[in-house]
Amino acid sequence: MAAAVLLWPRTEPLLLGALPVPPPARLGPHYLRKMAAYARARAAEGCYPRLSWPRWRHIACGKLQLGRGLAWLYFERFHDLLPPPDPPRRLQRAEAEAACGSAEELEQERGKLSVDTLRFLLFLYLQQLNKASLRTSLIGEEWPSPRARAAGLPGRAAGQSKNWNDQEHLAFVLTHLSDMLELLLEPEQLGASSHATHNSLVSYEAVCALSFLIEGTVSNSRTIHPLHELALWQPCHGQNGYSKISKTFSFSKLENWLRSCLIINPFGMTACLRSGKKLAWAQQVEGTTRRAKIACNTRVVPEVSPMVIMSQVYKQTLAKSSDTLVGAHVRIHRCNESFIYLLSPLCSVTIEKCRNSTFVLGPVEASVHVHSCDNIKVITVCHCLSLSSTTGCTFHILTPTQPLILAGNQAVSFAPFHTHYPMLEDHMAQVGLATVPNYWDSPMLVCKEGSDASVFHLLPPLDFYTFVIPFEMEGDTTETPGGLPHAYQKALNQREQKVQIWQKMVKEACLTKDQRKQFQMLVESKFYEWLIQTGNRQQLDSLVPPAVGSKQAAG
């Protein structure tokens, strides 16, 4: 009896590739089939088998009626998914873009890029993951929901993120498998209705493209193979209809074989929650009944990025820099009134349903997505930032891409990245992030709710203060990478001058010993009042090292 093949949807395309927002109507299956035929017919013009940026720009803006910014967003997002990011090459590209002196030069530089056409078509189809369902909207809210009814508070409902739900991933692939296979067919394999027939054949190149989305193992082996390698395995030929002579697969047999083999990702979020290693990073707070829940799916196979899931951290300061976090997908969920420092190079971070908290993240290779959060502060260097359904949140960021403002946001503040820790620049090099270009102050309104740009503002320089990370580490970084914009540095210099003037005034006041003591007590009293009013006393208190015998678990 032949060994069993198990297949599942890959995490990265659905977690990182699918924008967490309903796609434009023109990215539906009908128009993507037209695009597939158009690209194949214009192979000589740079459309197939690889699609250049200028040709995609023409298709997206001229045929699909997408804006140029959105067209570039999809193209770049896919370009950075495959092949796996190459940090030196990414740094080289960032340097080349930063050197461009005009929009024309920038377009010329981007014109050098191309992507695999068939895989890019699949990537565009994956944007349907977050398509709003009319039926679901009638019987209950579907994410992303309007901020007025967003999450985390009593009486305010919100749906679940599909990007982080591997059960949704499997359901999506099973539901849309036929459409995605048809998208990869050569034109002569489609019938008069532009759909597959019983005799349609799927090329080996098409199955290779589908490996972008599907991978698997043989007999529960811990060696993961791309789909096309498993499809060519001799014992599977009778089931998937592969012909060595034509090097094609029977459409109907291949589809049935895929459906029979597909399972939920055994290394995904569900597995992490069920059997992942529990991490005791946070301390239990006296007088509270809520306990932080932190879990990690240990590196069972080298091909899989680790996942770390943190939930219900409440009134705590959590700081970590460890191998567990390096290259990890991190989900931070329902954390309130806390200070969380994750000072390692990360792959992606999702922050959901958190309130009144500060998150300081190491460099994030892919994306940071913030959803349904109130009054949080995020401080990070990241490749991409997106936010939906947030209120009163502030983002101190250094990013080579425009921050994406999706649906349902209110009172968003953007500010320059304003801190450092000793290993920061080393970590930035590991994930291929440079200090230029930096688009922290140029967000893109992806969901233009009445074209209202008032949902965000740039933090006024007079309200700007630097942020000190209160931990000692080995490393060479001693200042904020790239420095600060002139207006913000000027505001800091002016404030420093005022402090020096005040210190000089106190020194020249010639106070007696009793007067100095009384003055010091008054200053300390006012400072203590300020600590309580701002909530900073909680952070200072939580920075006190835990008592001997209550050390946090390593990991």
Side-chain angles (χ1 to χ4, degrees), residues 207-528:
V207 176
C208 287
L210 200 57
S211 295
F212 164 66
L213 182 59
I214 298 173
E215 62 189 6
T217 61
V218 178
S219 295
N220 291 315
S221 163
R222 293 201 176 274
T223 301
I224 297 176
H225 300 277
L227 171 64
H228 63 272
E229 290 183 5
L230 295 170
L232 289 184
W233 191 40
Q234 178 69 40
C236 296
H237 291 178
Q239 301 170 59
N240 61 31
Y242 179 69
S243 167
K244 290 184 178 179
I245 298 174
S246 64
K247 294 185 179 180
T248 59
F249 298 80
S250 161
F251 182 96
S252 56
K253 286 189 175 183
L254 177 64
E255 181 183 356
N256 290 336
W257 177 70
L258 290 172
R259 291 187 184 279
S260 68
C261 296
L262 278 165
I263 61 170
I264 196 169
N265 189 333
F267 308 111
M269 192 180 84
T270 301
C272 180
L273 291 172
R274 286 179 179 170
S275 55
K277 176 184 176 184
K278 289 182 172 58
L279 303 174
W281 286 354
Q283 298 296 316
Q284 178 66 21
V285 179
E286 290 186 20
T288 68
T289 57
R290 302 185 68 176
R291 184 179 298 273
K293 299 174 183 177
I294 306 172
C296 171
N297 66 339
T298 52
R299 295 175 185 265
V300 288
V301 289
E303 297 92 341
V304 174
S305 296
M307 286 188 175
V308 175
I309 299 172
M310 304 168 51
S311 185
Q312 298 179 44
V313 177
Y314 178 62
K315 287 190 175 180
Q316 298 181 44
T317 292
L318 185 157
K320 206 69 181 175
S321 179
S322 73
D323 289 342
T324 302
L325 288 170
V326 174
H329 298 297
V330 180
R331 186 187 189 208
I332 305 172
H333 180 252
R334 293 190 185 278
C335 295
N336 299 326
E337 299 178 52
S338 295
F339 298 86
I340 295 177
Y341 301 80
L342 303 180
L343 306 180
S344 294
L346 310 168
C347 185
S348 75
V349 178
T350 301
I351 303 173
E352 293 179 319
K353 302 180 182 179
C354 296
R355 288 186 290 146
N356 306 322
S357 297
T358 296
F359 303 93
V360 185
L361 309 174
V364 182
E365 182 177 55
S367 63
V368 175
H369 179 60
V370 180
H371 173 63
S372 284
C373 292
D374 290 315
N375 191 35
I376 70 166
K377 181 182 292 184
V378 178
I379 304 169
T380 187
V381 180
C382 63
H383 182 68
C384 178
L385 169 73
S386 60
L387 43 143
S388 58
S389 301
T390 68
T391 294
C393 298
T394 301
F395 301 92
H396 287 265
I397 55 170
L398 193 168
T399 176
T401 63
Q402 291 180 274
L404 307 179
I405 300 180
L406 308 179
N409 299 284
Q410 297 176 20
V412 176
S413 298
F414 292 102
F417 185 73
H418 63 334
T419 191
H420 65 273
Y421 60 91
M423 287 295 292
L424 176 57
E425 289 173 310
D426 289 337
H427 289 169
M428 288 173 64
Q430 285 183 44
V431 299
L433 288 172
T435 57
V436 290
N438 185 6
Y439 294 112
W440 70 270
D441 56 350
S442 304
M444 181 193 301
L445 286 163
V446 178
C447 292
K448 295 183 179 179
E449 297 156 328
S451 298
D452 186 4
S454 65
V455 298
F456 76 91
H457 70 279
L458 304 184
L459 187 73
L462 291 177
D463 296 334
F464 178 79
Y465 294 83
T466 54
F467 186 90
V468 177
I469 295 176
F471 305 104
E472 292 183 357
M473 299 171 65
E474 297 293 327
D476 300 323
T477 303
T478 57
E479 59 186 8
T480 300
L484 295 171
H486 174 72
Y488 292 88
Q489 186 61 58
K490 182 179 178 181
L492 290 182
N493 293 342
Q494 290 174 343
R495 194 177 294 127
E496 179 64 26
Q497 288 176 357
K498 290 180 180 179
V499 172
Q500 292 174 357
I501 292 171
W502 184 82
Q503 290 174 335
K504 181 181 178 183
M505 184 176 63
V506 172
K507 186 177 181 180
E508 294 176 351
C510 299
L511 300 177
T512 65
K513 185 176 181 180
D514 288 342
Q515 286 174 327
R516 285 200 305 271
K517 185 176 181 180
Q518 186 177 5
F519 182 70
Q520 182 178 354
M521 290 175 61
L522 177 63
V523 170
E524 289 178 355
S525 174
K526 291 296 182 181
F527 178 61
Y528 188 75

